[in-house]
Amino acid sequence: MHHGLRRSAAGANIAAACGLSTLSCTFPPGLPILVSLSSSKRRGTAYLGARRRLCHASVLLSVALLIGACSDGGSGPPPVEMTITIPAATVEIGGNVQLSARNARGDVSWSSSNTSVATVVSTGFVTAVGPGNSRITAQTATQSASTEITVPAPPAIQLAASTVSFTARAGAANPSAISIAVTNAGPGVLQGLTVDEIRYAAGQPGGWLSATLSATTATSVQASSLQVSASVAGLTPGVYTSIIVVAAANAPNSPQNVGVTLTVTAAPTIELSATSATLTAIAGGANPLASAITVTSGATDPATGLAATIAYGQPGHTGWMSATLSAASTPSVLTLQAITGARPAGTYTATITLTSPDASNAPRTVLVAFTVSSPPRLDVSATTIVFGADLAGASPAAQIVQITNGGGGALNGLSTSVQYASGAGWLSAALNTTSAPASLTLQANPTGLAAGTYTATVRINAPGASNTPRDISVTLTVSAGPLLVVSPSSLSFTSSTTSSPAAQLVAVTNGGGGALSGLSTSVQYAGTGGWLTATLNTTTAPATLTVQSSHTGLSAGSYTAMVRVNSAQASNSPVSIAVTYVVAPSAVIALSTTSTAFTTVSGAGNSASDLVTITNAGAGALSSLATSVTYASGSGWLAASLNSSTAPATLTLIATRGALALGTYSATVTVSSPAATNSPRSITVTLNVTAPMTLSASARSASAGQGNGSVAVTPITISNVAPGTLTGLSAALTYLSGPSTGWLTATLNSTTAPATLSLVPTAGTPAAPRALGTYTARVRITSPVAGNGPQDIIITFTVGLSLANSGVFTAIGGACTACHFSGGNPPNLSTSALWRSNMVDVETKPSLRGTYPLAGTWLKRIVAGSATQSYLTYQLAGSFNAYRMPPSPTSLLSLTTRNLISTWINDGAHP
């Protein structure tokens, strides 16, 4: 062997056995032999470790042999260096590789330079932990060798966003979908991308979210798009949350979550601070102040596209108002402005309609009333006032002038001034308020005045009044003569519209010297008159003045007047007494019903009752209630009693039939009260005395052979067991059950009792037979005067086999007619009619009973309705012992025929 040897057969075999591509031996002068093993593939984990472990022993042996083969027979082998079986390896996270130390002299310990990348145990077993590089070192007391382990980063799910939010309005369109890019944050390709699940928050509805991926793979540059869509269908306003779980088959950080929030807002609404507005103005005056109504939305979102339109309530009265919005979306202010112009007095109405295309409660309306009043008018209760006083005496009593507004609108800003024609400072004029109605108190003071007559004018001003100013002439006579004194100087009355208050007294005395005679009175009204009387008991002071007010002809309201006491002898004549009369609303009778009706049945219960509630629909007390009964027909049959004489009260009505004949009776109950404006009220009461009807039977039954036509049924008698006449009888037929209808007629011979109801069922004709079976029907008898109607009658009709029409005679004729002849003995059975007449309900011959014992047990040939009691049934059976027939007993007829005959007998043995 020469020094250039690079490959040997043994080396090749070793390399092949261990999966190595190169096995080389080098012999540098003075250096040890180095054997290098390199893997043809960079494999980690189980494959590479297992392969190398299997080859380890043979490799060492072969290497030793190879070294020997490569030796040139010198003085001995050089020292062998320790090496690691795998010089370098790339292992994925979680993967393993088994390392071994070759040529180790002594115990080997293993270590990792970066345990966060790879770990190694005492056996050289390496586990990849995280991305990066780590050097694995094998160490003996005198040797050291290492290898490089590379752990690549794994694929990782990377989301462009981990949360998304949607906002939409309930009942509106769904929000736009959102796309989230899903990429690989590591090397290679993300595999098996999928939306693993969608989790909805506990207690919230699901199904409103959808999520799809555009691809199941992704790289760092080629993303898969996560399409997220939300639906508001069926959702109420609120906040809804969910989590989209995105997974990948080969990503350690799988799964990843995307939090989704859907905020559903309520649809906007139109909310108004007021739904009505009232505007007032004076005809010909200024426009009223504008009315402002705040318009808001009842939801978070504003109502947009706001618009206001006006619809006027009276034809021809338009254009008197404007309605403007401060903004086209909420919040906004609706300003309503009425225009007075030359519009005549009256009340004008309009409807403002507010609309919004996205408000759920649109449209909304505002009702506007614009009242144009006539201008105020200044009215006074007196235009002349006279005072009288004694020289150096006391001041006369003050006199009051009532100031009222005789027009429309408000009469405000009242003021007075005094202008003297003679004297000065002797008169004061004081208003109790500056707005009408008002009282003007005039007080004369004679102090310092000489005897004589003094005059002045009191001027009343009212801005805006059509007749301002108004003047009142005042005269003060200062004398040494008698003076009129009244006490009190004002009176007040109160009552309802149904009664007058008690009279009041005024004392009339002489406050001066001398005698005061020639007394008289008069009444001056401010407005409605005729309701006051003033009467003196004498014409010489002292006197008593009786003042009486009357409600007659007056509606509820306040009325004023002045009573003047006159005397030509008194220097202060006349003296006025102010009178106020307040008429309050009255009571009104309200009834729960104004008519009631009773019905009794002759022969049944004797009485019936009803209750009527009486309440006060007005004001005050509804007292002194009373009732009375007036009969239009009959008498004494109605009682009316009240549980209280003051409303609320209950009126009990009891009708007692007594001996009344059949018929209808009426009466009127009157409810009255002196306190009620609508007294009396009436209640109409009727009593209907009816007759009962009786039926002779409530059920009937019949049967017939199929196709045998009509059958007579015992009629039903309808009678009246009470006085009077039972009229208006009628019969109504209703089919209840059965194969068909039309099988019954029900006819009344009269509409007045006593009457007879005829019932005729039919089994059809041979050509059109009615089907076999049981039929039921109801006949209802009614009468408008019968208290116990209606009455029902149930009819049962059985259609059975017919001898002539069902084939029964045909089936038995051949067996029987051959041995029976006309006039012969046994009887003639040659036709169905003869056969039936000689068999049904016909006794067996006494001569047969001794010969045939069963003829003595069943005595009749055929018992209609009972085949087991019919001798024929056993005769046709052909029993040898029973009938002593010839030997070989055989049935005379087939079993089917015998069953047919038995059925015919059981159905009634119809002809």
Side-chain angles (χ1 to χ4, degrees), residues 248-327:
N250 63 339
N253 69 335
S254 176
Q256 292 292 303
N257 296 338
V258 177
V260 182
T261 301
L262 170 60
T263 301
V264 181
T265 61
T269 60
I270 298 176
E271 304 300 331
L272 304 174
S273 61
T275 57
S276 63
T278 301
L279 306 173
T280 59
I282 302 299
N287 296 333
L289 293 176
S291 178
I293 295 176
T294 303
V295 184
T296 58
S297 172
T300 303
D301 294 342
T304 62
L306 286 174
T309 58
I310 303 174
Y312 293 96
Q314 293 87 3
H317 293 280
T318 60
W320 52 264
M321 187 178 67
S322 64
T324 57
L325 286 162
S326 63

Side-chain angles (χ1 to χ4, degrees), residues 578-850:
V579 180
T580 301
Y581 183 22
V582 177
V583 181
S586 301
V588 175
I589 298 173
L591 303 175
S592 60
T593 182
T594 57
S595 65
T596 187
F598 301 98
T599 299
T600 63
V601 179
S602 179
N606 194 38
S607 64
S609 63
D610 199 3
L611 300 178
V612 178
T613 302
I614 303 172
T615 55
N616 183 5
L622 179 57
S623 57
S624 301
L625 289 169
T627 64
S628 61
V629 180
T630 303
Y631 294 94
S633 54
S635 63
W637 53 268
L638 182 63
S641 60
L642 286 165
N643 70 335
S644 173
S645 61
T646 301
T650 299
L651 173 63
T652 301
L653 302 176
I654 300 177
T656 303
R657 186 185 70 253
L660 293 176
L662 298 179
T664 300
Y665 304 86
S666 61
T668 300
V669 177
T670 300
V671 180
S672 61
S673 168
T677 56
N678 64 337
S679 178
R681 293 291 307 280
S682 297
I683 303 170
T684 301
V685 182
T686 59
L687 171 62
N688 185 23
V689 180
T690 63
M693 62 174 158
T694 61
L695 305 178
S696 60
S698 60
R700 284 285 188 262
S701 61
S703 64
Q706 188 181 40
N708 283 351
S710 301
V711 179
V713 178
T714 303
I716 303 291
T717 301
I718 304 166
S719 57
N720 177 20
V721 296
T725 304
L726 180 60
T727 60
L729 292 172
S730 64
L733 173 61
T734 301
Y735 293 97
L736 303 179
S737 66
S740 63
T741 59
W743 52 268
L744 180 67
T745 59
T747 307
L748 279 170
N749 69 337
S750 174
T751 59
T752 301
T756 298
L757 174 67
S758 297
L759 302 170
V760 181
T762 177
T765 64
R770 196 164 301 281
L772 297 174
T774 300
Y775 301 74
T776 59
R778 179 188 66 214
V779 178
R780 177 161 289 177
I781 308 299
T782 58
S783 167
V785 298
N788 62 337
Q791 296 286 320
D792 290 339
I793 303 165
I794 302 300
I795 297 92
T796 303
F797 180 43
T798 301
V799 177
L801 289 173
S802 165
L803 181 65
N805 301 325
S806 66
V808 175
F809 180 75
T810 301
I812 65 177
C816 296
T817 56
C819 58
H820 295 281
F821 304 95
S822 177
N825 186 10
N828 185 359
L829 305 179
S830 60
T831 67
S832 62
L834 290 173
W835 195 91
R836 184 178 185 279
S837 65
N838 284 296
M839 296 292 285
V840 176
D841 292 328
V842 176
E843 292 187 354
T844 58
K845 290 183 178 182
S847 59
L848 295 176
R849 296 170 187 170

Side-chain angles (χ1 to χ4, degrees), residues 23 98 105 110 115 144-145 164 205 334 337 356 359 362 408 435 474 480 514 571 640-641 666 713 724 734 751 790:
L23 179 61
Q98 178 66 57
R105 295 190 295 272
W110 297 87
T115 56
S144 177
V164 294
L334 174 66
Q337 178 64 66
S356 168
S435 299
V474 182
S571 60
S641 60
S666 61
V713 178
T734 301
T751 59

